[in-house]
Amino acid sequence: GRPRPVMAAVPPPSAPGGSEPPPPPLQYSLLLQHLVGEQRRPRAWDPAALGGIPSPPKSEEQKMVERAMESCAFKAALACVGGFVLGGAFGIFTAGIDTNVGFDPKDPYRTPTAKEVLKDMGQRGISYAKNFAIVGAMFSCTECVVESYRGKSDWKNSVISGCITGGAIGFRAGLKAGVIGCGGFAAFSAAIDYYLR
């Protein structure tokens, strides 16, 4: 019936000289279980906990800018500019490795001057830039229209718009060229879409 006396924990005796004993070694296995193991506690993603500020509702101007950037006209213009830059770079590159740039067919033994070579490189770059810009704008605009019509965003949009673009470009040289252009451009678009996705 008498309560047992409670004894206080006695600290371990200190080492001679007054210094405390070294702490026990850290057990990394227990630490890893709490960090990445089964005992880890998942945390809810809360931007406010990381110092984030909740975003205010978008204004009408912001919504209007987003609608304009998602429109087919903006996408076509962006693809046109990108195609122009890419085509110009490609044209200058191909002209740079072409050994016939600057040569006059009437006098093939005459060595062209640097001005003539640069002029031919610029002309080829402009020609490639125009072609790439037209193709890029046609493809982007067609893909946007097809996507809006179908209401889906998948690989079929690229194939259909590639066929339409390639066929429209090829039909200038005849029906056979249009069919070949449609099939070739559709296959190329499908391969690029598969690679990117």
Side-chain angles (χ1 to χ4, degrees):
R2 289 173 55 190
R4 296 169 58 183
V6 179
M7 298 187 66
V10 179
S14 59
S19 62
E20 296 183 0
L26 181 64
Q27 296 182 1
Y28 289 102
S29 59
L30 295 177
L31 182 64
L32 288 176
Q33 285 183 4
H34 287 280
L35 293 177
V36 295
E38 297 178 353
Q39 298 184 10
R40 181 176 66 91
R41 297 179 180 178
R43 294 183 179 180
W45 175 254
D46 186 10
L50 300 176
I53 301 174
S55 58
K58 296 180 180 178
S59 63
E60 290 298 324
E61 290 81 8
Q62 290 175 330
K63 293 179 181 178
M64 187 174 64
V65 169
E66 286 184 356
R67 283 195 298 267
M69 292 181 68
E70 292 175 358
S71 65
C72 294
F74 181 81
K75 292 180 180 179
L78 191 63
C80 182
V81 174
F84 188 86
V85 173
L86 182 63
F90 186 72
I92 292 173
F93 173 74
T94 55
I97 61 176
D98 190 0
T99 56
N100 294 325
V101 172
F103 280 92
D104 187 3
K106 298 178 182 178
D107 189 8
Y109 296 103
R110 186 180 66 85
T111 303
T113 62
K115 184 177 180 181
E116 293 172 343
V117 171
L118 291 175
K119 182 180 178 182
D120 280 3
M121 289 176 67
Q123 289 176 349
R124 185 178 295 191
I126 292 295
S127 175
Y128 274 62
K130 289 179 180 177
N131 292 334
F132 274 60
I134 292 172
V135 171
M138 285 179 61
F139 180 81
S140 179
C141 187
T142 307
E143 185 180 25
C144 184
V145 171
V146 170
E147 183 178 342
S148 300
Y149 177 76
R150 293 183 67 236
K152 298 179 181 178
S153 178
D154 54 11
W155 61 273
K156 293 180 182 179
N157 296 335
S158 300
V159 174
I160 295 171
S161 57
C163 180
I164 294 173
T165 304
I169 294 172
F171 273 132
R172 295 184 298 176
L175 180 61
K176 185 178 180 180
V179 173
I180 293 174
C182 172
F185 219 104
F188 179 73
S189 301
I192 293 296
D193 190 81
Y194 176 78
Y195 176 76
L196 292 178
R197 294 197 184 196

